[in-house]
Amino acid sequence: MIKLTPAERSALRAEAHGLNPIVMIGADGLTANVLKEIALGLDSHGLIKVRVFGDDREARIAMYETICEQLKAAPVQHIGKLLVLYRPKVETEKARSSSGKGMREVTIVKASASGTKRPSVTKVLLKGNERVTQGGNIKRAKARQKSTKKTALS
């Protein structure tokens, strides 16, 4: 379980104020599927609210402690039937393939017209069928396909 300082807990409570509950715990209680959904919510958001539909306060406290222990989350706040949980998001870097037809970022450096000023540097996203010409312009590698129906009508 993660330990938070009072200042961190206060900041997280303020941040969670505007959030809506993303997981609801019903009459079945804390099942494996509910724990899985809470874990997915913590992975994607980091800070979540969970609503517990049940009137037994001790059962809600027991659920809160169980969730925090099993998912290694920090308890932020427990007000009535709302539980606020925090776990730092894990930054995952997506593997990008160098080959393929996806978008790629290209830096274009154009010399100034007079030659006395600095060259302009711009970063542009290119689609798979685009290329940069010698002059720094973006050009399609192949002409765009035209509809045979539209050409027949005109």
Side-chain angles (χ1 to χ4, degrees), residues 5 22 31 39 41 50 68-69 94 106 120 143:
T5 65
I22 63 168
T31 62
V50 177
C68 290
E69 284 176 23
K94 293 182 180 177
V106 176
S120 64

Side-chain angles (χ1 to χ4, degrees), residues 8-144:
E8 290 172 331
R9 186 171 281 119
S10 175
L12 288 171
R13 274 198 309 259
E15 192 178 331
H17 180 71
L19 297 178
N20 291 325
I22 63 168
V23 178
M24 314 283 184
I25 301 176
D28 291 340
L30 197 59
T31 62
N33 288 335
V34 171
L35 277 173
K36 181 180 172 187
E37 285 300 316
I38 293 172
L40 287 173
L42 285 169
D43 288 341
S44 61
H45 300 291
L47 180 69
I48 64 167
K49 275 187 182 178
V50 177
R51 181 175 299 277
V52 180
F53 293 112
D55 294 328
D56 189 14
R57 181 173 170 76
E58 286 77 30
R60 285 194 306 265
I61 293 171
M63 282 184 208
Y64 196 37
E65 291 171 353
T66 304
I67 292 169
C68 290
E69 284 176 23
Q70 288 187 2
L71 301 180
K72 294 175 180 52
V76 176
Q77 191 175 28
H78 174 207
I79 293 184
K81 296 181 179 184
L82 281 177
L83 313 175
V84 181
L85 303 163
Y86 171 73
R87 183 170 69 188
K89 288 197 291 187
V90 178
E91 295 296 326
T92 57
E93 208 173 296
K94 293 182 180 177
R96 298 185 74 185
S97 62
S98 59
S99 63
K101 300 279 183 180
M103 301 281 283
R104 64 188 186 280
E105 188 174 321
V106 176
T107 305
I108 299 175
V109 181
K110 283 189 180 180
S112 66
S114 64
T116 58
K117 296 181 182 174
R118 289 187 192 172
S120 64
V121 178
T122 55
K123 289 192 176 195
V124 180
L125 280 175
L126 295 182
K127 297 180 185 122
N129 67 341
E130 293 177 340
R131 64 182 176 88
V132 179
T133 63
Q134 191 87 27
N137 298 323
I138 298 171
K139 205 171 189 184
R140 282 200 175 90
K142 299 177 195 168
R144 182 179 254 180

